[in-house]
């Protein structure tokens, strides 16, 4: 059974049910203009052009190190983007020399965007006509707190357009966390130590910041889709706004703290940051090794063990890149075919934010007490306080989303309040026992007397 994520906003269900199951027949899905594909392509081209422009400026000014790092971050993310699109579309098994050539010159997203637009225009011209090739898709949906199974027909063209959308969603995450995050961090660092803000660097940082925010927002949406693959997910404007504010505050405060910490300690900060990244990178592999499970061999058809290992390493690198700057909203599980833990793990989320909060406080304190006054003309204490408050506010928006705005919060066995209540109850009885011990000793002494 084929699956597609693009389904109508309203089910418009007919009261026709099958005899064996309570299946509601939904209306055929409507195709919408691929705004997300155009926006992702625009971000990719804008960030690439501004990065190459800054490489030219650094080369002209004989700033070799700045040029090398800027070009390296651009090349690494661009290559990973091309590989992601080729993998999702399975181009290696198809005869498409033009597409492969465009990927070879790092313009794969452009040709894919043109293909999606052509597919959309074809659907628009044939609107109202029945397609000869269709497939049935079923998903659950919560209506008035009750699960309803909805079935609808999906045409081949609509399924192809949906595949383009899903490919660009994953591409945006690759670009955001493997390219835009290191690029934005490094350009902020260069700006801080050089005390110059040229227009080209500002444009590059703006594109990188938008790319990171967009990728982090999509990360939450894709995490919900992966965890609840059997359900029809619908996010309203309020939910998207809450996620965007949460992710923007979390990432900007985290990256600014990393930049200030690096500018304060210079090369001495590299071992700390590298160790932090390596711990995140090898954590899933250590859990996989301790579990004694076998490597999954059914991730993709016709994949050898080497191909499977390459995919697992790529997924792990992306997972580490996401968790280095923000919470990934998923817990990687290499022994599973889906590669993720589908349960709502409050403990993993709480541990991540607790560790990151301690790290941020330590790095901010290092900047406050050891930061050079020449770096900024502002009060270091005020900057440190504002960054920590911004990170705490992002945690508040995260808790708000999971407690009140999550589209499938009714399926949670425990919500945020329950988890916090359990943590408080874990400490409260211990405090009561400690408080009762002195009174018991006094009563014992009185009885002995």
């Amino acid at each position: 059974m084929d699956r597609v994520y693009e389904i109508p906003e309203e089910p418009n269900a007919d009261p026709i049910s099958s005899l064996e199951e309570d299946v509601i027949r939904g209306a055929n899905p409507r195709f919408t203009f691929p705004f997300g594909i155009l926006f992702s392509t625009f971000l990719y081209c804008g960030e690439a052009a501004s990065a190459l422009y800054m490489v030219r400026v650094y080369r002209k000014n004989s700033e070799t190190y700045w040029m090398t790092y800027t070009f390296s971050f651009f090349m690494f993310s661009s290559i990973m983007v091309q590989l992601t699109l080729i993998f999702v579309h399975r181009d290696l098994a198809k005869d498409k020399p033009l597409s492969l050539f465009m990927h070879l010159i790092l313009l794969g997203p452009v040709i894919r965007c043109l293909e999606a637009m052509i597919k959309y225009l074809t659907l628009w011209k044939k609107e109202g006509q029945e397609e000869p090739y269709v497939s049935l898709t079923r998903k659950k949906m919560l209506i008035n707190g009750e699960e309803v199974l909805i079935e609808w027909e999906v045409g081949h063209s609509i399924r192809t357009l949906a595949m383009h959308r899903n490919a660009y969603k994953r591409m945006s995450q690759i670009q955001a966390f493997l390219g835009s995050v290191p690029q934005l961090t490094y350009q902020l660092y260069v700006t801080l130590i050089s005390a110059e803000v040229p227009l080209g660097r500002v444009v590059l940082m703006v594109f990188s910041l938008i790319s990171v925010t967009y990728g982090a927002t999509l990360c939450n949406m894709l995490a919900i889709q992966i965890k609840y693959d059997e359900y029809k997910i619908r996010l309203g404007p309020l939910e998207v706004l809450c996620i965007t504010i949460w992710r923007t505050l979390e990432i900007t405060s985290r990256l600014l703290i990393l930049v200030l910490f690096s500018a304060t300690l210079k090369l001495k900060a590299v071992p700390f940051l590298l160790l932090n990244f390596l711990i995140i990178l090898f954590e899933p592999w250590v859990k996989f090794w301790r579990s004694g499970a076998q490597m999954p061999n059914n991730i993709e058809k016709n994949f050898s063990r080497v191909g499977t290992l390459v995919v697992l390493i790529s997924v792990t690198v992306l997972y580490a890149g996401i968790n280095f700057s923000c919470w990934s909203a998923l817990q990687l599980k290499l022994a599973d075919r889906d590669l993720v833990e589908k349960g709502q793990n409050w403990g993993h989320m709480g541990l991540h934010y607790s560790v990151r909060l301690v790290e941020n406080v330590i790095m901010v304190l290092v900047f406050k007490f050891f930061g050079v006054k020449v770096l900024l003309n502002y009060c270091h204490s005020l900057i440190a306080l504002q960054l920590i408050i911004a990170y705490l506010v992002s945690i508040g928006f995260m808790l708000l989303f999971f407690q009140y705005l999550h589209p499938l919060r009714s399926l949670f066995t425990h919500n945020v309040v329950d988890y916090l209540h359990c943590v408080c109850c874990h400490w409260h009885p211990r405090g009561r026992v400690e408080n009762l011990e002195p009174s018991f000793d006094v009563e014992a002494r009185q009885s002995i007397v």
Side-chain angles (χ1 to χ4, degrees):
M1 182 182 296
D2 294 318
R3 295 178 180 176
V4 65
Y5 293 109
E6 301 298 324
I7 65 176
E9 293 297 328
E10 295 295 334
N12 297 328
D14 298 327
I16 301 175
S17 302
S18 64
L19 297 177
E20 297 180 358
E21 296 177 301
D22 294 333
V23 181
I24 298 178
R25 182 61 180 271
N28 293 335
R30 299 192 301 266
F31 58 93
T32 56
F33 189 81
F35 290 106
I37 295 178
L38 284 178
F39 187 66
S40 298
T41 307
F42 170 72
L43 288 179
Y44 174 81
C45 295
E47 188 173 355
S50 55
L52 292 177
Y53 174 77
M54 288 308 302
V55 168
R56 179 175 174 272
V57 172
Y58 291 149
R59 181 182 179 183
K60 184 178 179 180
N61 297 334
S62 300
E63 295 165 337
T64 307
Y65 289 103
W66 296 358
M67 179 195 71
T68 303
Y69 284 111
T70 302
F71 185 73
S72 300
F73 294 143
F74 157 71
M75 283 299 298
F76 179 71
S77 63
S78 298
I79 292 174
M80 292 301 295
V81 162
Q82 313 308 316
L83 294 177
T84 301
L85 292 177
I86 291 175
F87 175 77
V88 173
H89 290 280
R90 299 180 176 89
D91 283 337
L92 295 179
K94 300 177 183 179
D95 186 15
K96 289 187 175 182
L98 178 60
S99 298
L100 292 177
F101 174 74
M102 295 296 286
H103 283 294
L104 187 63
I105 60 176
L106 304 181
L107 291 178
V110 177
I111 190 66
R112 295 298 182 187
C113 181
L114 292 177
E115 290 178 0
M117 293 302 300
I118 292 173
K119 182 64 66 176
Y120 171 78
L121 293 176
T122 303
L123 284 171
W124 182 66
K125 291 179 180 180
K126 295 182 179 180
E127 187 176 7
Q129 301 179 10
E130 294 185 359
E131 290 195 48
Y133 302 101
V134 297
S135 59
L136 293 178
T137 300
R138 290 184 179 183
K139 280 190 179 292
K140 297 177 183 179
M141 188 174 180
L142 293 178
I143 300 179
N144 297 326
E146 297 182 359
E147 290 187 0
V148 177
L149 187 61
I150 299 178
E151 178 184 81
W152 62 91
E153 294 180 353
V154 180
H156 176 73
S157 299
I158 295 179
R159 189 170 68 248
T160 304
L161 188 60
M163 183 178 65
H164 279 288
R165 284 193 169 98
N166 290 330
Y168 271 84
K169 289 178 182 178
R170 285 151 180 80
M171 183 203 85
S172 297
Q173 292 189 77
I174 295 289
Q175 179 188 353
F177 294 104
L178 298 185
S180 300
V181 166
Q183 190 74 267
L184 178 60
T185 306
Y186 186 71
Q187 298 304 322
L188 285 172
Y189 174 81
V190 171
T191 302
L192 197 60
I193 64 175
S194 64
E196 296 178 356
V197 190
L199 180 60
R201 190 185 298 154
V202 171
V203 174
L204 176 57
M205 290 191 294
V206 169
F207 272 111
S208 299
L209 179 59
I210 297 175
S211 175
V212 171
T213 305
Y214 182 64
T217 305
L218 286 179
C219 182
N220 273 85
M221 298 179 181
L222 288 175
I224 297 174
Q225 287 182 349
I226 293 173
K227 286 184 178 181
Y228 305 96
D229 186 50
E230 299 179 351
Y231 289 86
K232 161 69 173 69
I233 308 299
R234 181 183 301 171
L235 286 174
L238 186 60
E239 290 84 348
V240 175
L241 178 62
C242 182
I243 295 175
T244 304
I245 296 175
W246 155 28
R247 290 305 197 176
T248 303
L249 291 174
E250 179 182 4
I251 292 176
T252 52
S253 59
R254 171 72 174 175
L255 294 185
L256 285 174
I257 291 173
L258 289 173
V259 169
L260 295 176
F261 176 75
S262 302
T264 302
L265 297 184
K266 298 295 192 323
L267 292 178
K268 296 180 181 179
V270 174
F272 174 79
L273 300 179
L274 185 61
L275 179 62
N276 195 330
F277 182 80
L278 291 178
I279 290 175
I280 305 173
L281 180 64
F282 288 108
E283 177 198 4
W285 290 99
V286 171
K287 291 182 178 179
F288 174 73
W289 175 71
R290 293 184 62 184
S291 65
Q294 297 293 327
M295 183 180 298
N297 54 2
N298 53 352
I299 294 178
E300 186 67 26
K301 294 181 181 179
N302 303 324
F303 259 35
S304 63
R305 293 186 65 86
V306 176
T308 302
L309 182 61
V310 171
V311 171
L312 293 180
I313 293 175
S314 302
V315 171
T316 309
V317 171
L318 176 61
Y319 177 78
I322 296 174
N323 278 283
F324 186 75
S325 55
C326 65
W327 181 49
S328 62
L330 285 173
Q331 187 175 7
L332 202 59
K333 188 177 181 181
L334 299 178
D336 193 87
R337 181 182 182 276
D338 296 325
L339 301 180
V340 295
E341 181 69 39
K342 291 194 173 184
Q344 189 64 40
N345 195 337
W346 300 112
H348 178 262
M349 181 181 69
L351 178 63
H352 172 87
Y353 279 101
S354 300
V355 173
R356 286 290 174 265
L357 181 60
V358 173
E359 285 182 358
N360 291 341
V361 170
I362 292 175
M363 289 189 289
V364 162
L365 291 177
V366 170
F367 162 72
K368 179 182 182 300
F369 291 108
F370 300 100
V372 183
K373 293 295 182 181
V374 179
L375 294 176
L376 294 170
N377 295 324
Y378 300 99
C379 177
H380 285 196
S381 300
L382 182 60
I383 296 174
L385 182 62
Q386 289 176 342
L387 290 175
I388 295 300
I389 290 177
Y391 193 78
L392 292 175
V393 171
S394 70
I395 296 177
F397 275 97
M398 180 267 296
L399 297 176
L400 174 66
F401 172 76
F402 279 101
Q403 181 65 29
Y404 299 106
L405 300 178
H406 195 284
L408 297 177
R409 60 186 179 278
S410 59
L411 300 178
F412 293 167
T413 55
H414 302 286
N415 54 24
V416 177
V417 174
D418 294 334
Y419 177 74
L420 296 176
H421 180 69
C422 289
V423 172
C424 294
C425 290
H426 177 73
W427 291 100
H428 185 63
R430 182 181 300 177
R432 289 189 59 186
V433 171
E434 292 176 354
N435 293 332
L436 288 176
E437 286 178 358
S439 61
F440 177 78
D441 294 339
V442 172
E443 292 178 358
R445 293 192 190 98
Q446 291 177 354
S447 61
I448 291 173
V449 173

